């Protein structure tokens, strides 16, 4: 590639840039093999357009500007009505300017806007005759597309038969959700194929592929509905008069999928400010969506406005794409690091050639586990597509196989623990040092002493390293046996800090069971799961006596997790005993043990008389009984000093269930200042919102108990 920068200096560079752009868009819109990431492609086309604006007399006929799909692809099935592209804006200012120019053209403000996500897939036209899906056609060059009817039956959301026997064309986007993409690459590599770089390429490649030995599902979202040549004339006329938002409702009624089924449903707005609010709302939800979006499409909603605005040869004048920043880029996989965590898990991490994505420089990305590396067919030196959105940890999507040089090397898996040299237990997907929690004792202890666990002030990482290096602490329980003299013998440990630390350690013995459990680092259970387990069983003895089946009664613990928790508790038994002897609390205040059946007892068969815990919980369940609560934003007033973990503990003390993500099941969102995407989602879903003060009043009786 000769022209990746923003400026083209002469006609030779211009001609090269045109050639590069045409090649790139042929790959992008055609086979789905990108040679440039979206950002690099956009920059190239903008540079071409800028040069053309300065030298209009030298514009080459092959230039991609002003053409649907960059003029790179053709097809042989004519479209009834051209399938156009969209013009782009990149900021609120550009958007506002666009609305003003549209208003000038119409002679009045746009009556109403429709706002919906710009799905990152491929445009497709689906023709239904008397309700039956008969033909699928790609966009092609906009006037004619390619027949891809062989894909009928593999696209979720595009039914073979509509709920009504109508003759219509449904237009929309075919894409792969993140889960469908991972599945597709897994199946493809298992069949000896090369992985696709990202969901969009995977959808493009899959849609065009014929006679594959396997099929992988994709998903369709409709964004248009129009009559065909043999649609009943009265119905054709009616469709032509429908607002876009009504057409989308109709598509849903026919049984076709639209964005209405997602967390970012299409909506309407009457003002520019209303549109910008919605744009911000959709943008905020982008990182949490299970599919890719690369912008927001804003359309004049009414058919009359659309007609009056008309269309150019490339794009309609009544719609615009408000582009969002690219969240994926191609970079190089330089190395793989193997790090041992606090429970002994050995996790691979990708070291990348630094790349800027969405405003931050990315140097590392997760790789999950060794099997995942094999499944993705990743190699050292590979060009890789890296994805990062919002605060979500960056991930390597896949190698960009057609950019390989042939110099790539296999990734070597460790044969022994990279930290302590012990053997590796490879029996599960996630590898683990056979030395378990003792392998990275410093990490295990630092975590246990942390604010959300035993909350031992003064026991930070450096102090833990000192204790471990001095041989004073060999496991968590040893902390509670530390003497004043031992601590005073350490470097930089004066009398005051020694006494403070001893007091903090002594105070930690009184932490509730939920925090002790969390401090132990039972694999597969974090803070909220530890709280749920502790509330359910009430005492460590009850929990340890429970079989997998009983543990499954705890919400969120399924058939896979329950046995692993049982195994973990067995592994931790000596440590738990030692902690109990040291005087560490093993009960959860306010919780009652569950009713037990004979033979499933903490005291070897003599079942104690216990009440029906669940009934008791429901009857005296507190002000949040039965509620699913999400806390977001900064807490103020009476709640100001509470960490997020303490807020969640409060929710649960008051009888509710705390969660970190908003869904249809959420009953209350406590939204403090700076609440962003979660508040937006709550508003979209119509979930009740409370300010920190309102919430504090609701749970006032439970505020001090923590
Ligand atoms: S409307 C004439 N709505 O974006 C109107 N397009 O860059 C054209 N796209 O070809 C399409 N989501 O493949 C529309 N909600 C949406 C869309 C959307 C994604 C794609 C579509 C189109 C391309 C234009």
């Amino acid at each position: 590639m000769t022209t990746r920068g923003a400026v083209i200096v002469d006609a030779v560079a211009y001609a090269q840039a045109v050639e590069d752009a045409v090649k790139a868009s042929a790959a992008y819109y055609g086979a789905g093999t990108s040679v440039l990431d979206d950002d690099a492609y956009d920059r190239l086309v903008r540079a071409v357009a800028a040069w053309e604006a300065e030298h209009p007399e030298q514009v080459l006929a092959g230039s991609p500007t002003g053409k649907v799909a960059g003029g790179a692809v053709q097809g042989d099935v004519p479209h009834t009505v051209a399938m156009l592209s969209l013009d782009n804006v990149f900021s609120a200012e550009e958007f506002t300017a666009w609305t003003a120019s549209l208003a000038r053209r119409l002679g009045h403000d746009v009556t109403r806007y429709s706002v919906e996500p710009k799905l990152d897939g491929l445009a497709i036209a689906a023709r239904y005759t008397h309700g039956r899906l008969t033909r699928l056609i790609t966009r092609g060059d906009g006037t004619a597309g390619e027949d891809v009817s062989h894909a009928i039956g593999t696209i979720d959301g595009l039914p073979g038969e509509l709920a009504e026997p109508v003759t219509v064309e449904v237009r929309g986007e075919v894409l792969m959700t993140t889960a469908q993409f991972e599945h597709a690459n897994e199946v493809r590599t298992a069949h000896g194929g090369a992985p696709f770089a990202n969901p969009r390429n995977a959808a493009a490649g899959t849609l065009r592929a014929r006679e594959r030995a396997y099929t992988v599902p994709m998903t369709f979202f409709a964004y248009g509905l129009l009559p065909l040549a043999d649609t009943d004339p009265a119905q054709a006329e009616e469709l032509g008069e429908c607002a876009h938002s009504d057409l989308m409702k109709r598509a849903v009624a026919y049984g076709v999928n639209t964005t209405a089924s997602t967390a970012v449903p299409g909506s309407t707005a009457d003002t520019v400010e209303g549109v910008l609010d919605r744009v911000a709302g959709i943008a905020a939800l982008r990182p949490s969506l299970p599919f890719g979006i690369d912008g927001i499409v804003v359309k004049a909603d009414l058919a009359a406005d659309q007609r009056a605005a008309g269309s150019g040869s490339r794009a309609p004048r009544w719609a615009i794409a408000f582009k969002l920043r690219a969240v994926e880029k191609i970079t190089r996989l330089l190395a793989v690091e193997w790090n041992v965590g606090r429970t002994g898990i050995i996790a691979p991490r990708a070291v990348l050639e630094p790349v800027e994505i969405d405003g931050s420089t990315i140097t590392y990305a997760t790789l999950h586990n060794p099997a995942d590396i094999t499944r993705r067919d990743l190699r050292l030196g590979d060009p890789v597509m890296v994805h990062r959105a919002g605060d979500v940890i960056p991930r390597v999507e896949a190698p960009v196989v057609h950019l390989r040089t042939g110099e790539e090397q296999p990734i070597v898996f460790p044969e022994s623990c990279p930290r302590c040299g012990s053997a590796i237990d490879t029996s599960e997907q996630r590898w683990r040092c056979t030395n378990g929690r003792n392998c990275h004792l410093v990490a295990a202890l630092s975590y246990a002493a942390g604010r959300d666990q035993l909350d031992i002030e003064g026991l930070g990482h450096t102090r833990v390293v000192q204790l471990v290096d001095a041989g004073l602490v060999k496991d968590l329980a040893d902390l509670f046996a530390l003497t004043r003299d031992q601590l005073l013998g350490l470097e930089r440990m004066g009398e005051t800090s020694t006494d403070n630390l001893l007091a903090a350690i002594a105070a930690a013995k009184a932490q509730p069971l939920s925090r002790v459990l969390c401090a132990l680092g039972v694999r597969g259970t974090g803070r909220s799961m530890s709280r749920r387990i502790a509330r359910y069983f009430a005492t460590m003895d009850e929990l340890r006596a429970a079989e997998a089946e009983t543990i499954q009664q705890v919400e969120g613990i399924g058939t896979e997790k329950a046995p692993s928790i049982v195994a973990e508790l067995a592994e931790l038994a000596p440590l738990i005993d030692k902690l109990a002897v040291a005087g560490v609390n093993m009960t959860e205040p306010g919780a009652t043990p569950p009713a037990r059946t004979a033979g499933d007892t903490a005291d070897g068969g003599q079942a104690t008389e216990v009440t029906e815990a669940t009934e008791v919980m429901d009857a005296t369940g507190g002000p949040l009984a039965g509620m699913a609560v999400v806390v977001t934003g900064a807490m103020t007033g009476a709640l100001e000093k509470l960490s997020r973990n303490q807020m969640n503990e409060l929710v649960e003390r008051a009888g509710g269930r705390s969660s970190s993500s908003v869904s249809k099941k959420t009953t209350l969102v406590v939204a403090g200042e700076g609440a962003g995407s979660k508040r937006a989602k709550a508003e979209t879903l119509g979930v009740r919102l409370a300010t920190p003060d309102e919430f504090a009043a609701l749970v006032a009786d439970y505020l001090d108990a923590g």
Side-chain angles (χ1 to χ4, degrees), residues 84-86 116-119 123 139 173 223 297 299 316 318:
L84 298 179
S85 235
L86 289 170
E116 54 195 29
K118 184 170 190 297
L119 305 145
R139 184 172 66 165
E173 203 83 347
Y223 54 65
V297 182
K299 301 170 180 168
W318 46 266

Side-chain angles (χ1 to χ4, degrees), residues 29 68 82-88 115-124 139 171-174 200 221-224 244 248 259 294-299 311 314-316 318-319 321 323:
Y29 291 104
V68 169
M83 281 185 91
L84 298 179
S85 235
L86 289 170
D87 286 331
N88 296 325
V115 191
E116 54 195 29
K118 184 170 190 297
L119 305 145
D120 195 8
L122 306 98
I124 202 164
R139 184 172 66 165
R171 288 183 179 180
E173 203 83 347
V174 174
R200 192 191 173 283
F221 290 98
Y223 54 65
H244 175 71
M248 291 301 93
T259 57
D294 58 349
I296 290 106
V297 182
V298 185
K299 301 170 180 168
S311 292
R314 193 191 91 92
W318 46 266
K323 292 282 273 191

